[in-house]
């Protein structure tokens, strides 16, 4: 028999499963705000990033439908060829106004936005300073760029200060890159301190606002705005796929930065533009997010209550500050069992395991949405505390 060139996968994946790390895709059926059907049962969905409950909002759906009828579903080409429609143009303008920056450009996803931006800004001979808990796409961007990657302990500003001092004069350009809100811990980066370091060491500062946009800060303008340093963060990356309920990534900044990215960011140049209906849906969601601040307020009130009750009951929710509430468990198998128990009680809460989070820190990741009812949260608390 011929050798099987993919045979090595069997042994590797057996070892992976052995450690409780195997994953699989599980399809869901009907999805309404805050709920999702699984195997014929409607579950309360605490596993999404649809923070404002806009992904299935009828107004968002209607905007997508209208645009699909006028422009088709697919963009048909990359943005610089013929894929850039007036839906993309007006979304960019809306986002620039919302972000209070000169310009915005769009990417196929938040992942692509970070990858494309970092590789357009740094290369060999440069350095990227990254928080240990940064999202994978920031790390991958630095690696792909061929820049020296310096990882500092989570939110440890004084350690970063030390590293930057040691590196002084060694690199052509420096970029500090951080999540504004950490995706698996829900805590905020110390952005005012990072902005100070960026100034002192003449480094560029990139903040990934994937979980900040629409949720944190005045008018939901993000974690940098919440820390009062929005104008000092010269590269703000965001996604349309979380609070804005659509798909796609964006970068907000000066016209100079955006023009550079349009010319140099490869995932923007060599990938098909977002479907115009996705852009129109995001514009509509952005308008709703601004017109209905109760969504954001409700989200923060619910998550404060959840955190308080869980902490009182002895759970470790870390330094979470918004709608992402982690419940630290530790061993992957135990985390999976707890998730299974919650699911049997009607609550969908994902078990997050390594390598998504560091070894020994497997957790439940509760994601709240403005679409959740108070009873949903009470029910989850009862299920977790065993009452
Ligand atoms: C989800 C996420 C991304 C990726 O955004 P997509 O639009 O889903 O590709 C990037 N950064 C962080 C911190 C995220 O949580």
């Amino acid at each position: 028999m011929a050798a099987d060139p993919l045979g090595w996968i069997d042994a590797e994946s057996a070892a992976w499963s052995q450690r409780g790390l195997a994953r699989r895709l599980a399809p869901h059926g009907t999805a309404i705000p805050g709920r999702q059907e699984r195997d014929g049962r409607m579950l309360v969905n605490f596993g999404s990033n649809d923070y404002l409950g806009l992904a299935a909002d009828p107004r968002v759906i209607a905007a997508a439908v209208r645009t699909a009828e006028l422009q088709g579903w697919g963009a048909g080409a990359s943005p610089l060829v013929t894929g850039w429609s007036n839906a993309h143009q007006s979304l960019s303008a809306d986002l620039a106004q919302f972000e209070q920056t000169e310009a915005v450009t769009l990417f196929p996803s938040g992942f692509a936005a970070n990858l494309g931006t970092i590789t357009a800004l740094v290369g060999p001979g440069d350095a990227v300073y990254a928080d240990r808990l940064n999202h994978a796409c920031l790390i991958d961007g630095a690696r792909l760029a061929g820049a020296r990657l310096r990882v500092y302990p989570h939110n440890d500003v004084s350690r970063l200060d030390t590293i930057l001092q040691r590196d002084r004069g060694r690199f052509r350009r420096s970029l500090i890159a951080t999540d504004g809100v950490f995706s698996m811990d829900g805590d905020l980066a110390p952005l005012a301190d990072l902005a100070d370091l960026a100034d002192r060491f003449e480094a560029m500062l990139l903040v990934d606002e994937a979980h900040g946009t629409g949720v944190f800060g005045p008018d939901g303008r993000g974690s940098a705005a919440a820390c009062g340093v929005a104008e000092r963060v010269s590269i703000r990356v965001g996604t349309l796929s979380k609070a804005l309920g659509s798909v796609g990534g964006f970068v907000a900044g000066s016209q100079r930065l955006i023009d550079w990215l349009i010319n140099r960011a490869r995932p923007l140049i060599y990938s098909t533009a977002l479907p115009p209906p996705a852009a129109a849906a995001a514009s509509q969601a952005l308008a709703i997010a601004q017109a209905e601040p109760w969504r954001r307020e409700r989200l923060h009130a619910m998550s404060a209550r959840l955190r308080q009750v869980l902490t009182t009951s002895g759970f470790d929710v870390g330094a979470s500050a918004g709608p992402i509430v982690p419940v630290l468990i530790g061993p992957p198998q135990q985390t999976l069992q707890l998730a299974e128990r919650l699911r049997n009680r009607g609550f969908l809460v994902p078990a997050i395991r390594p390598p998504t989070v560091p070894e020994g820190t497997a957790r439940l990741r509760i994601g709240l949405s403005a679409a959740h009812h108070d009873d949903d949260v009470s029910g989850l608390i009862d299920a977790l505390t065993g009452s």
Side-chain angles (χ1 to χ4, degrees):
M1 214 178 88
D4 176 0
L6 289 180
W8 59 270
I9 291 179
D10 296 341
E12 296 272 333
S13 42
W16 198 243
S17 305
Q18 196 75 47
R19 294 168 55 204
L21 301 180
R23 307 158 188 222
R24 61 185 179 87
L25 294 170
H28 69 79
T30 305
I32 58 172
R35 283 176 162 60
Q36 205 178 72
E37 185 210 311
R38 298 253 168 182
D39 307 320
R41 254 177 95 208
M42 214 52 169
L43 303 178
V44 183
N45 184 8
F46 286 110
S48 104
N49 303 311
D50 182 19
Y51 301 121
L52 301 179
L54 295 176
D57 186 282
R59 295 164 289 180
V60 172
I61 295 168
V65 170
R66 271 195 312 275
T67 304
E69 285 167 354
L70 291 170
Q71 306 192 345
W73 174 259
S78 62
L80 289 167
V81 180
T82 59
W84 190 255
S85 72
N86 51 18
H88 299 92
Q89 186 67 32
S90 52
L91 172 59
S92 301
D94 293 348
L95 284 167
Q97 188 173 44
F98 173 69
E99 295 279 347
Q100 303 177 343
T101 55
E102 283 175 11
V104 159
T105 193
L106 305 177
F107 283 80
S109 69
F111 197 112
N114 278 305
L115 208 70
T117 301
I118 295 173
T119 50
L121 296 176
V122 291
D126 300 328
V128 176
Y129 300 86
D131 189 287
R132 173 159 178 265
L133 297 188
N134 272 355
H135 191 268
C137 59
L138 294 170
I139 303 294
D140 289 3
R143 288 191 182 133
L144 185 62
R148 184 68 64 84
L149 176 60
R150 301 273 199 229
V151 176
Y152 58 89
H154 181 49
N155 282 347
D156 191 339
V157 178
S158 71
R159 179 86 187 114
L160 174 58
D161 189 339
T162 308
I163 300 172
L164 283 162
Q165 281 183 43
R166 201 187 57 205
D167 279 357
R168 212 192 262 282
R170 286 191 57 190
F171 297 102
R172 181 183 59 165
R173 292 197 282 268
S174 304
L175 172 70
I176 300 171
T178 184
D179 285 18
V181 180
F182 288 86
S183 55
M184 296 300 139
D185 292 74
D187 58 339
L188 293 166
L191 295 177
D193 293 337
L194 293 176
D196 288 344
L197 283 185
D199 283 349
R200 261 178 56 215
F201 292 94
E202 293 174 38
M204 299 177 279
L205 177 59
L206 180 156
V207 174
D208 179 352
E209 292 276 18
H211 300 277
T213 306
V215 174
F216 284 92
D219 302 320
R221 287 205 318 279
S223 57
C227 296
V229 294
E231 69 293 340
R232 297 175 65 199
V233 177
S234 48
I235 308 145
R236 269 180 275 152
V237 183
T239 180
L240 309 172
S241 66
K242 285 162 183 162
L244 297 179
S246 185
V247 66
F250 68 89
V251 178
S254 61
Q255 191 67 54
R256 175 171 70 176
L257 171 71
I258 300 309
D259 288 345
W260 178 253
L261 295 179
I262 290 168
N263 281 274
R264 299 298 283 269
R266 292 164 66 88
L268 182 158
I269 299 168
Y270 297 105
S271 208
T272 298
L274 290 175
S283 281
Q284 179 64 65
L286 182 63
I288 298 172
Q290 291 173 269
E292 300 180 356
W294 64 264
R295 291 176 183 272
R296 205 168 59 242
E297 289 154 14
R298 178 166 165 65
L299 195 56
H300 286 290
M302 272 191 306
S303 49
R305 172 175 161 241
L306 176 63
R307 255 192 302 281
Q308 196 255 316
V309 178
L310 291 181
T311 307
T312 308
S313 309
F315 287 101
D316 181 0
V317 299
S320 127
I324 303 169
V325 182
V327 180
L328 268 299
I329 307 295
Q333 280 91 347
Q334 205 178 317
T335 313
L336 284 172
Q337 282 160 12
L338 193 50
E340 185 59 34
R341 235 182 51 211
L342 292 175
R343 190 180 160 134
N344 293 335
R345 305 259 313 241
F347 303 103
L348 195 56
V349 182
I352 308 289
R353 294 164 282 163
T356 304
V357 292
E359 286 293 337
T361 72
R363 67 199 62 187
L364 297 174
R365 179 187 184 275
I366 304 171
L368 292 171
S369 165
H372 288 135
H373 307 288
D374 291 336
D375 285 353
D376 297 337
V377 178
S378 305
L380 176 67
I381 289 172
D382 290 346
L384 271 169
T385 57
S387 38

